[in-house]
Amino acid sequence: MTENPTPVILTELTGDGVMLLTLNRPERHNAWTLEMELLYNELFDRAEVDPAVRAVVLTGAGRSFCPGMDISVLDGASSGARPWPTDQLPPRTRPMTFPKPVVAAVNGACAGIGFNQAVMCDVRFAVPGAKFAAAFSARGLVAEDGVSWILPRLVGYGNAGDLLLSSRRISGTEALAMGLVNRLCEPDELLPAALEYATELARSASPYAMSLIKRQLADDQTRTFAESRDAAARLLATAKRAPDYREGVRSFIERRQPEFAALGEPAALGEPAVLGEESS
């Protein structure tokens, strides 16, 4: 009887509702494969509908995050021997369409598709020695997966042009300086810090409110200020009809940890919350 092979992505759910996804091909520095992409999308799909999952942390096993496509995949795709089935796969933008917060813990090499996945997370933690590179121009490719839309919004037009045109590698320290990374941590502190941050979101922030805020952040990129303001007013009215509004106020008044319903649970949506005497 043969043993099941180790999954190319490991999963672990903490007691606080944080799903840890670990890209797990350390012998290949977690280089991306079709098997990894299929499992990656499947795990995000599962996490989206699982009420126990309130946040996700994405990292890599060993010394790397993900340096891009596995060289064997690149070779097969470029020669035409093994074309990548792009038309059969969903867009490679899952962290951005995921309604729960996603935190990247970048522990080493982060290039190509790995770079894109990190950029598409909501928050990025990294070690000073991490190496970021878009890498597309060096392979004769264009900026893939919409990264040319999101990168200027993170680091500015000039920095985005520099990274995409040159494919040069930058350290975690330089990434922090240009706004690509939110926080730097020493290697042994990286994953604990990312998990602690995600745990605080899972414990203290409304899953329903965070899903609406993620929608705002994406939609407002193409709106004027007035449009953004008006859309926020409509969403605010929606949020005030959900029980999380009442619970958020009550927990603040009572100086206790809020008990928000999980995203998708019936209790997360309901009749308009009405404040009582304590609001006056």
Side-chain angles (χ1 to χ4, degrees):
M1 181 177 178
T2 59
E3 296 183 1
N4 291 329
T6 303
V8 293
I9 304 177
L10 302 177
T11 63
E12 179 183 348
L13 180 63
T14 73
D16 293 301
V18 177
M19 176 65 77
L20 175 62
L21 298 182
T22 305
L23 305 179
N24 188 46
R25 300 184 72 226
E27 74 286 353
R28 300 289 295 173
H29 298 280
N30 307 316
W32 200 265
T33 63
L34 180 58
E35 180 187 9
M36 184 178 282
E37 179 152 335
L38 294 173
L39 183 56
Y40 185 79
N41 283 310
E42 179 184 336
L43 292 173
F44 267 104
D45 288 347
R46 288 187 208 165
E48 179 168 340
V49 298
D50 187 348
V53 178
R54 296 199 172 206
V56 169
V57 171
L58 176 65
T59 193
R63 298 182 293 110
S64 298
F65 181 77
C66 173
M69 284 286 183
D70 190 279
I71 192 66
S72 64
V73 177
L74 280 175
D75 185 43
S78 65
S79 67
R82 294 183 301 278
W84 186 264
T86 302
D87 58 346
Q88 301 172 35
L89 300 171
R92 203 179 287 140
T93 55
R94 201 60 180 91
M96 291 188 68
T97 60
F98 188 68
K100 305 172 186 182
V102 186
V103 181
V106 181
N107 53 313
C110 179
I113 184 173
F115 178 87
N116 286 3
Q117 294 309 306
V119 163
M120 290 177 188
C121 292
D122 300 299
V123 178
R124 284 155 296 283
F125 287 42
V127 296
K131 298 298 182 185
F132 293 87
F136 302 113
S137 67
R139 306 290 178 266
L141 298 171
V142 300
E144 297 181 9
D145 306 324
V147 71
S148 57
W149 180 91
I150 191 170
L151 193 59
R153 290 163 168 81
L154 291 175
V155 302
Y157 191 91
N159 284 326
D162 170 25
L163 295 178
L164 292 173
L165 292 171
S166 71
S167 290
R168 73 181 182 91
R169 292 186 299 173
I170 63 170
S171 68
T173 302
E174 186 174 356
L176 178 68
M178 68 170 58
L180 181 61
V181 165
N182 298 87
R183 189 180 306 176
L184 286 186
C185 305
E186 292 304 315
D188 59 344
E189 299 171 355
L190 175 68
L191 191 54
L195 287 169
E196 181 182 9
Y197 178 86
T199 297
E200 186 61 26
L201 295 181
R203 287 176 176 170
S204 302
S206 157
Y208 180 59
M210 289 193 291
S211 73
L212 295 180
I213 290 168
K214 285 195 67 166
R215 186 196 305 176
Q216 283 180 284
L217 286 168
D219 291 348
D220 285 355
Q221 299 302 312
T222 55
R223 288 174 173 151
T224 65
F225 172 76
E227 290 169 340
S228 174
R229 177 199 61 207
D230 294 345
R234 293 191 295 271
L235 281 177
L236 181 62
T238 299
K240 284 184 174 180
R241 291 194 297 269
D244 279 5
Y245 175 45
R246 175 68 171 175
E247 173 59 16
V249 173
R250 291 298 316 176
S251 62
F252 176 73
I253 292 170
E254 296 168 5
R255 299 187 178 184
R256 60 172 172 80
Q257 194 78 11
E259 298 179 2
F260 294 122
L263 191 63
E265 287 185 346
L269 300 170
E271 296 300 317
V274 178
L275 297 183
E277 296 179 351
E278 69 275 6
S279 64
S280 59

